[in-house]
Amino acid sequence: MRLTRELGMNSSKAVLWDMDGTLINSEELHWLAWRETMTKEGLVITRDQFLSTFGQRNDSIIPAWLGSAATAERIERIGETKENVYRDLVRQVGIAFEPGVASWLHRLQQHGWQQAIASAAPHANIDAILESLSAKHIFQAIVSAEDVHLGKPDPEVYLLAATRVGVPANRCIVVEDAVAGIEGARRAGMRSVGVSHNGKDLHADVCVESLELLEPDAFDRLLNQTQSREAGTPF
């Protein structure tokens, strides 16, 4: 009875989406953009170097590649150049949702879930992606690299996204494809759905290789588990 009253008092709920690797498969376009940009800087990077940094903020990636040659001015300039190249590729080539994402976005929208993007990407990138996908109307909030001071696994990006959609952290569910993102969700006090494209254990509350394989009631069950735990009732 107590759980029913609590749910009635607070029926808001939200899904907070990571973008790169979760909403969309942007790996190839990011790789092409980094390779072109760094080649012009006289530095050849390997695919493995790129993959080891994929999903991190530019101000973390570039110093690691440049070493002692990484001045603040050069880091900013390289980062801006790379992102401009990336956005041009998005507009020229286009981009698509990861399998299962589009149907989940519409299903959650129909069932009253608030939805936000919580990403380490620059805001201009997110705008370019959503414009390409004609999906701006789906999300009630966007949190980008410019909005936070610390990257994942720090929970700042998720907590800010929750604030912007007006939903308490304990009623938010994070969808992520990286261990750091899942850890950030845990630190924020949120449940998580992990999308592991390579079968790696992300330590999420629910983990699938594709959102196409996610059970139809997965988000509701996670939310109910959180409320049951806090109410002290078994689930």
Side-chain angles (χ1 to χ4, degrees), residues 152-164:
K152 304 167 187 178
D154 190 274
E156 182 183 11
V157 66
Y158 300 125
L159 294 173
L160 181 55
T163 298
R164 288 187 174 178

Side-chain angles (χ1 to χ4, degrees), residues 19-222:
M19 190 173 72
D20 292 303
T22 303
L23 278 174
I24 57 169
N25 183 353
S26 56
E27 179 183 308
E28 186 64 19
L29 296 188
H30 277 294
W31 160 240
L32 293 174
W34 274 123
R35 186 179 64 180
E36 177 180 328
T37 302
M38 299 312 295
T39 298
K40 290 180 179 178
E41 291 292 321
L43 181 66
V44 176
I45 59 170
T46 67
R47 185 73 181 238
D48 285 343
Q49 283 178 299
F50 159 73
L51 290 174
S52 69
T53 63
F54 188 48
Q56 296 179 21
R57 290 164 56 108
N58 290 350
D59 55 10
S60 297
I61 297 171
I62 298 168
W65 288 347
L66 294 181
S68 60
T71 64
E73 182 277 333
R74 193 178 182 195
I75 292 169
E76 182 177 1
R77 176 175 55 78
I78 291 173
E80 289 180 358
T81 299
K82 179 265 172 180
E83 299 308 338
N84 282 327
V85 173
Y86 172 74
R87 288 190 289 272
D88 286 343
L89 286 170
V90 169
R91 296 183 183 106
Q92 293 167 15
V93 179
I95 204 155
F97 284 121
E98 287 278 15
V101 168
S103 60
W104 268 112
L105 290 173
H106 293 297
R107 182 183 302 175
L108 292 166
Q109 185 181 47
Q110 290 170 357
H111 287 82
W113 290 79
Q114 298 290 300
Q115 297 187 79
I117 292 176
S119 172
H123 203 291
N125 287 18
I126 299 174
D127 282 343
I129 293 294
L130 294 183
E131 183 177 344
S132 177
L133 294 167
S134 300
K136 284 188 175 183
H137 64 286
I138 294 175
F139 301 98
Q140 286 68 57
I142 293 171
V143 180
S144 63
E146 296 93 334
D147 298 316
V148 297
H149 298 93
L150 299 171
K152 304 167 187 178
D154 190 274
E156 182 183 11
V157 66
Y158 300 125
L159 294 173
L160 181 55
T163 298
R164 288 187 174 178
V165 294
V167 177
N170 66 350
R171 293 188 61 79
C172 293
I173 297 171
V174 169
V175 187
E176 264 281 0
D177 73 320
V179 171
I182 298 299
E183 174 60 18
R186 187 191 66 78
R187 295 183 190 180
M190 302 174 182
R191 293 275 184 166
S192 60
V193 173
V195 185
S196 179
H197 303 294
N198 57 10
K200 180 180 179 181
D201 184 7
L202 300 178
H203 307 292
D205 293 298
V206 173
C207 196
V208 290
E209 291 189 11
S210 168
L211 286 174
E212 292 178 304
L213 304 176
L214 194 62
E215 293 292 333
D217 63 346
F219 288 98
D220 290 313
R221 289 181 63 186
L222 283 173

